[in-house]
């Protein structure tokens, strides 16, 4: 048997052993994790705004190309909630209907996907914004 097959066989045995041990764990072990405190709420000022500023600020602040075309500015809560010259981009409580999420999820034509001409925000970053919107898009 070559080395790769021996390694795969030993890894399969190791994984099987871990699963057997995990299956025998007392029920309360999982419950302890579930009973831990919930994560803190997403904060606009500490979580969302720094992300928007970092990924969108070069275009969506006065003087930037995105700001000139859309009027959308990410420098403050008020400016984000104001939206664009075309209308509101965030509908508190409804990320699926919020234009910002459609733009960030690339559920729009390629010409207006955000960030324009750059790498898409990670799923984690988009989910952070989505959750903030879902929870009411509060200024916290």
């Amino acid at each position: 048997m070559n080395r790769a097959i021996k390694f795969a066989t030993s890894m399969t045995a190791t994984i099987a052993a871990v699963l057997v041990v995990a299956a025998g764990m007392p029920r309360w072990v999982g419950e302890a994790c579930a009973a831990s405190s919930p994560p803190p709420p997403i904060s606009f000022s500490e979580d969302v705004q720094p992300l928007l500023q970092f990924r969108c600020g070069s275009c969506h602040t006065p003087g930037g190309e995105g700001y000139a075309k859309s009027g959308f500015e990410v420098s403050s809560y008020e400016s984000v909630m104001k939206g664009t010259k075309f209308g509101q981009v965030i509908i508190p409580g409804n990320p699926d209907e919020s234009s910002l999420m459609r733009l960030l999820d690339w559920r729009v034509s390629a010409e207006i996907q955000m960030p324009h001409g750059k790498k898409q925000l990670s799923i984690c970053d988009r989910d952070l914004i989505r959750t903030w919107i879902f929870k009411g898009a509060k200024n916290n």
Side-chain angles (χ1 to χ4, degrees), residues 14-135:
T14 302
I15 292 169
V18 168
L19 292 175
V20 167
V21 170
M25 286 182 161
R27 181 181 161 102
W28 59 267
V29 171
E31 290 174 0
C33 293
S36 64
S37 61
I42 295 172
S43 164
F44 177 79
S45 61
E46 292 179 16
D47 302 312
V48 177
Q49 204 273 333
L51 172 62
L52 291 175
Q53 189 67 40
F54 177 72
R55 290 300 307 270
C56 312
S58 63
C59 290
H60 288 283
T61 51
E65 184 180 353
Y67 178 76
K69 289 182 178 181
S70 69
F72 186 58
E73 183 181 353
V74 297
S75 62
S76 70
Y77 176 80
E78 292 75 22
S79 63
V80 169
M81 296 307 289
K82 178 183 168 191
T84 71
K85 57 186 172 184
F86 306 106
Q88 185 178 12
V89 296
I90 294 174
I91 300 171
N94 195 343
D96 291 333
E97 293 299 317
S98 296
S99 299
L100 181 63
M101 289 314 309
R102 287 196 303 271
L103 294 164
L104 295 176
D105 286 338
W106 290 11
R107 293 184 284 141
V108 294
S109 66
E111 298 83 39
I112 59 172
Q113 293 173 344
M114 292 295 137
H116 185 65
K118 296 180 181 174
K119 181 179 167 185
Q120 185 178 28
L121 271 68
S122 71
I123 292 170
C124 292
D125 288 346
R126 287 181 282 138
D127 282 348
L128 178 117
I129 296 168
R130 186 183 335 278
T131 302
W132 172 72
I133 294 170
F134 180 77
K135 298 284 187 171

